[in-house]
Amino acid sequence: MKVAPKVILLFRDSSGFGTAIFEALQPNPNSNFQKRQESLDLSLERYGIKDQKVSVEIVHFLDGSNQVSVLLLENYEPPTLACALNEVLSMLVGDGSSNMPTIVAPFLVADTKLKMENRTSLGVDNISVYGLQVGASSGLTKALVTNLRSPPPSLQIFHEQLACLLQLVRVLNLPTLVIIGRKGRKLHRKTSEEELEVIHEIGQHLASFSSLNFSAEKIAWDATKSSRETQEPWRALYG
């Protein structure tokens, strides 16, 4: 499958973050973007998984000079997660030519799943959103990462989807920018208010990357659902 030179990769996570971003990214009213939607089912038989496929919902925004594809990947648990994500990323790599797309992948991560070497939370600073450039470098990732604070070099990530993505894009050498939004950082703020602020900040960075409009009014955020995020202990599957 052919995708645009710019790709936004989202997960249909249990908190609803990926779906919210997917629905909020729309063409600017005065743009010439043409919107085309499709869905994709990829086989996992080469990994020995015969009873499950990778489901991806895709929206392409196309015009003469600027093109972007937004992918929403279904939520999978390990070990299927690694197989499903590798299949999608391998599809994006294609024949390995110089025309590989630039990927931006946003995540909303609980502050407790972002740790430093001394095992203390990153909540000691006031940064809500970090940018992490991974894989091959591109002009697009360089331009966007300049507007984001880099996480500390000692950062440890205890979030399975994010950790798996980081490992795979390094191996495939895909030009990728990961945007990490932190939730649960401001203990004196209401959860829904804080999370919406972080989502809106991430949305603005995605709009800058894609030349799309981030329609904040389309965000319907359920803070109660978000707070029920799976609390399983970290399973060190990705090194």
Side-chain angles (χ1 to χ4, degrees), residues 46-67:
R46 66 170 174 156
Y47 305 96
I49 303 173
K50 299 182 179 181
D51 59 346
Q52 195 172 11
K53 292 186 176 181
V54 185
S55 296
V56 188
E57 190 173 347
I58 308 167
V59 177
H60 304 282
F61 298 95
L62 310 171
D63 71 9
S65 60
N66 187 50
Q67 300 180 357

mmCIF file of all heavy atoms in Angstrom, residues 46-67:
data_model
loop_
_atom_site.group_PDB
_atom_site.id
_atom_site.type_symbol
_atom_site.label_atom_id
_atom_site.label_comp_id
_atom_site.label_asym_id
_atom_site.label_seq_id
_atom_site.Cartn_x
_atom_site.Cartn_y
_atom_site.Cartn_z
ATOM 1 N N ARG A 46 3.003 -15.217 8.831
ATOM 2 C CA ARG A 46 4.450 -15.472 8.836
ATOM 3 C C ARG A 46 5.028 -15.468 10.243
ATOM 4 O O ARG A 46 6.178 -15.856 10.448
ATOM 5 C CB ARG A 46 5.181 -14.472 7.956
ATOM 6 C CG ARG A 46 5.163 -13.024 8.413
ATOM 7 C CD ARG A 46 6.127 -12.233 7.557
ATOM 8 N NE ARG A 46 6.093 -10.803 7.814
ATOM 9 C CZ ARG A 46 7.106 -9.998 7.561
ATOM 10 N NH1 ARG A 46 8.232 -10.484 7.072
ATOM 11 N NH2 ARG A 46 7.006 -8.712 7.780
ATOM 12 N N TYR A 47 4.240 -14.991 11.229
ATOM 13 C CA TYR A 47 4.651 -15.043 12.637
ATOM 14 C C TYR A 47 4.012 -16.233 13.358
ATOM 15 O O TYR A 47 4.126 -16.354 14.575
ATOM 16 C CB TYR A 47 4.244 -13.761 13.342
ATOM 17 C CG TYR A 47 4.752 -12.496 12.688
ATOM 18 C CD1 TYR A 47 3.945 -11.779 11.800
ATOM 19 C CD2 TYR A 47 6.039 -12.020 12.922
ATOM 20 C CE1 TYR A 47 4.404 -10.623 11.184
ATOM 21 C CE2 TYR A 47 6.509 -10.874 12.308
ATOM 22 C CZ TYR A 47 5.681 -10.183 11.435
ATOM 23 O OH TYR A 47 6.133 -9.039 10.815
ATOM 24 N N GLY A 48 3.305 -17.067 12.600
ATOM 25 C CA GLY A 48 2.630 -18.220 13.193
ATOM 26 C C GLY A 48 1.290 -17.886 13.803
ATOM 27 O O GLY A 48 0.726 -18.692 14.540
ATOM 28 N N ILE A 49 0.762 -16.693 13.508
ATOM 29 C CA ILE A 49 -0.543 -16.269 14.034
ATOM 30 C C ILE A 49 -1.548 -16.363 12.899
ATOM 31 O O ILE A 49 -1.552 -15.530 11.978
ATOM 32 C CB ILE A 49 -0.487 -14.835 14.593
ATOM 33 C CG1 ILE A 49 0.591 -14.740 15.685
ATOM 34 C CG2 ILE A 49 -1.838 -14.405 15.146
ATOM 35 C CD1 ILE A 49 0.835 -13.331 16.187
ATOM 36 N N LYS A 50 -2.412 -17.370 12.937
ATOM 37 C CA LYS A 50 -3.333 -17.620 11.828
ATOM 38 C C LYS A 50 -4.752 -17.145 12.104
ATOM 39 O O LYS A 50 -5.558 -17.022 11.175
ATOM 40 C CB LYS A 50 -3.349 -19.116 11.498
ATOM 41 C CG LYS A 50 -1.988 -19.654 11.053
ATOM 42 C CD LYS A 50 -2.062 -21.127 10.703
ATOM 43 C CE LYS A 50 -0.701 -21.641 10.237
ATOM 44 N NZ LYS A 50 -0.740 -23.079 9.869
ATOM 45 N N ASP A 51 -5.080 -16.895 13.354
ATOM 46 C CA ASP A 51 -6.462 -16.559 13.705
ATOM 47 C C ASP A 51 -6.665 -15.064 13.943
ATOM 48 O O ASP A 51 -7.707 -14.655 14.441
ATOM 49 C CB ASP A 51 -6.887 -17.338 14.952
ATOM 50 C CG ASP A 51 -5.996 -17.050 16.160
ATOM 51 O OD1 ASP A 51 -4.914 -16.471 15.963
ATOM 52 O OD2 ASP A 51 -6.391 -17.404 17.283
ATOM 53 N N GLN A 52 -5.692 -14.243 13.590
ATOM 54 C CA GLN A 52 -5.792 -12.804 13.833
ATOM 55 C C GLN A 52 -5.060 -12.040 12.739
ATOM 56 O O GLN A 52 -4.019 -12.483 12.237
ATOM 57 C CB GLN A 52 -5.189 -12.454 15.206
ATOM 58 C CG GLN A 52 -5.548 -11.084 15.717
ATOM 59 C CD GLN A 52 -5.081 -10.886 17.155
ATOM 60 O OE1 GLN A 52 -4.317 -11.686 17.695
ATOM 61 N NE2 GLN A 52 -5.538 -9.826 17.780
ATOM 62 N N LYS A 53 -5.631 -10.898 12.349
ATOM 63 C CA LYS A 53 -5.001 -10.029 11.364
ATOM 64 C C LYS A 53 -4.772 -8.642 11.957
ATOM 65 O O LYS A 53 -5.340 -8.301 12.989
ATOM 66 C CB LYS A 53 -5.874 -9.925 10.107
ATOM 67 C CG LYS A 53 -5.960 -11.213 9.307
ATOM 68 C CD LYS A 53 -6.723 -11.007 8.007
ATOM 69 C CE LYS A 53 -6.720 -12.281 7.181
ATOM 70 N NZ LYS A 53 -7.439 -12.101 5.882
ATOM 71 N N VAL A 54 -3.928 -7.889 11.300
ATOM 72 C CA VAL A 54 -3.664 -6.511 11.718
ATOM 73 C C VAL A 54 -4.676 -5.606 11.031
ATOM 74 O O VAL A 54 -4.717 -5.533 9.803
ATOM 75 C CB VAL A 54 -2.236 -6.061 11.331
ATOM 76 C CG1 VAL A 54 -1.961 -4.675 11.883
ATOM 77 C CG2 VAL A 54 -1.212 -7.055 11.828
ATOM 78 N N SER A 55 -5.485 -4.924 11.818
ATOM 79 C CA SER A 55 -6.486 -4.018 11.276
ATOM 80 C C SER A 55 -5.998 -2.579 11.401
ATOM 81 O O SER A 55 -5.633 -2.140 12.489
ATOM 82 C CB SER A 55 -7.823 -4.185 12.004
ATOM 83 O OG SER A 55 -8.339 -5.488 11.794
ATOM 84 N N VAL A 56 -5.990 -1.879 10.268
ATOM 85 C CA VAL A 56 -5.532 -0.498 10.239
ATOM 86 C C VAL A 56 -6.570 0.352 9.511
ATOM 87 O O VAL A 56 -6.993 0.018 8.406
ATOM 88 C CB VAL A 56 -4.171 -0.350 9.516
ATOM 89 C CG1 VAL A 56 -3.631 1.063 9.674
ATOM 90 C CG2 VAL A 56 -3.168 -1.374 10.016
ATOM 91 N N GLU A 57 -6.972 1.437 10.143
ATOM 92 C CA GLU A 57 -7.853 2.413 9.504
ATOM 93 C C GLU A 57 -6.981 3.572 9.028
ATOM 94 O O GLU A 57 -6.136 4.063 9.777
ATOM 95 C CB GLU A 57 -8.902 2.910 10.500
ATOM 96 C CG GLU A 57 -10.011 3.736 9.874
ATOM 97 C CD GLU A 57 -11.109 4.062 10.859
ATOM 98 O OE1 GLU A 57 -11.135 3.453 11.955
ATOM 99 O OE2 GLU A 57 -11.935 4.944 10.542
ATOM 100 N N ILE A 58 -7.176 3.989 7.791
ATOM 101 C CA ILE A 58 -6.282 4.975 7.179
ATOM 102 C C ILE A 58 -7.082 6.101 6.556
ATOM 103 O O ILE A 58 -8.105 5.865 5.908
ATOM 104 C CB ILE A 58 -5.402 4.326 6.084
ATOM 105 C CG1 ILE A 58 -4.691 3.078 6.628
ATOM 106 C CG2 ILE A 58 -4.383 5.323 5.545
ATOM 107 C CD1 ILE A 58 -4.068 2.220 5.562
ATOM 108 N N VAL A 59 -6.606 7.326 6.765
ATOM 109 C CA VAL A 59 -7.146 8.484 6.065
ATOM 110 C C VAL A 59 -5.987 9.178 5.358
ATOM 111 O O VAL A 59 -4.976 9.507 5.984
ATOM 112 C CB VAL A 59 -7.845 9.478 7.019
ATOM 113 C CG1 VAL A 59 -8.323 10.703 6.252
ATOM 114 C CG2 VAL A 59 -9.017 8.820 7.720
ATOM 115 N N HIS A 60 -6.123 9.362 4.056
ATOM 116 C CA HIS A 60 -5.131 10.086 3.269
ATOM 117 C C HIS A 60 -5.659 11.495 2.993
ATOM 118 O O HIS A 60 -6.806 11.664 2.560
ATOM 119 C CB HIS A 60 -4.867 9.399 1.930
ATOM 120 C CG HIS A 60 -4.454 7.967 2.041
ATOM 121 N ND1 HIS A 60 -3.171 7.584 2.397
ATOM 122 C CD2 HIS A 60 -5.143 6.808 1.853
ATOM 123 C CE1 HIS A 60 -3.093 6.262 2.405
ATOM 124 N NE2 HIS A 60 -4.278 5.777 2.076
ATOM 125 N N PHE A 61 -4.847 12.493 3.255
ATOM 126 C CA PHE A 61 -5.161 13.877 2.907
ATOM 127 C C PHE A 61 -4.197 14.268 1.783
ATOM 128 O O PHE A 61 -2.989 14.329 1.991
ATOM 129 C CB PHE A 61 -4.998 14.796 4.106
ATOM 130 C CG PHE A 61 -5.926 14.474 5.244
ATOM 131 C CD1 PHE A 61 -5.515 13.672 6.296
ATOM 132 C CD2 PHE A 61 -7.216 14.990 5.266
ATOM 133 C CE1 PHE A 61 -6.369 13.373 7.340
ATOM 134 C CE2 PHE A 61 -8.079 14.694 6.322
ATOM 135 C CZ PHE A 61 -7.660 13.883 7.355
ATOM 136 N N LEU A 62 -4.744 14.545 0.612
ATOM 137 C CA LEU A 62 -3.915 14.712 -0.571
ATOM 138 C C LEU A 62 -4.189 16.036 -1.264
ATOM 139 O O LEU A 62 -5.344 16.459 -1.396
ATOM 140 C CB LEU A 62 -4.185 13.571 -1.568
ATOM 141 C CG LEU A 62 -4.129 12.139 -1.009
ATOM 142 C CD1 LEU A 62 -4.631 11.153 -2.044
ATOM 143 C CD2 LEU A 62 -2.720 11.786 -0.575
ATOM 144 N N ASP A 63 -3.121 16.709 -1.678
ATOM 145 C CA ASP A 63 -3.229 17.832 -2.599
ATOM 146 C C ASP A 63 -1.970 17.860 -3.456
ATOM 147 O O ASP A 63 -1.141 16.945 -3.390
ATOM 148 C CB ASP A 63 -3.495 19.166 -1.885
ATOM 149 C CG ASP A 63 -2.290 19.676 -1.110
ATOM 150 O OD1 ASP A 63 -1.184 19.097 -1.250
ATOM 151 O OD2 ASP A 63 -2.433 20.651 -0.364
ATOM 152 N N GLY A 64 -1.801 18.882 -4.270
ATOM 153 C CA GLY A 64 -0.684 18.891 -5.202
ATOM 154 C C GLY A 64 0.681 18.975 -4.558
ATOM 155 O O GLY A 64 1.651 18.420 -5.069
ATOM 156 N N SER A 65 0.789 19.637 -3.417
ATOM 157 C CA SER A 65 2.107 19.905 -2.840
ATOM 158 C C SER A 65 2.326 19.290 -1.467
ATOM 159 O O SER A 65 3.457 19.160 -1.021
ATOM 160 C CB SER A 65 2.327 21.420 -2.732
ATOM 161 O OG SER A 65 1.328 21.998 -1.909
ATOM 162 N N ASN A 66 1.257 18.914 -0.785
ATOM 163 C CA ASN A 66 1.401 18.410 0.587
ATOM 164 C C ASN A 66 0.492 17.206 0.763
ATOM 165 O O ASN A 66 -0.697 17.276 0.468
ATOM 166 C CB ASN A 66 1.042 19.498 1.594
ATOM 167 C CG ASN A 66 1.342 19.055 3.021
ATOM 168 O OD1 ASN A 66 2.435 18.592 3.306
ATOM 169 N ND2 ASN A 66 0.381 19.193 3.899
ATOM 170 N N GLN A 67 1.074 16.117 1.228
ATOM 171 C CA GLN A 67 0.290 14.901 1.400
ATOM 172 C C GLN A 67 0.618 14.271 2.746
ATOM 173 O O GLN A 67 1.779 14.228 3.158
ATOM 174 C CB GLN A 67 0.601 13.906 0.271
ATOM 175 C CG GLN A 67 0.293 14.442 -1.122
ATOM 176 C CD GLN A 67 0.613 13.436 -2.210
ATOM 177 O OE1 GLN A 67 1.116 12.347 -1.939
ATOM 178 N NE2 GLN A 67 0.322 13.791 -3.441
#
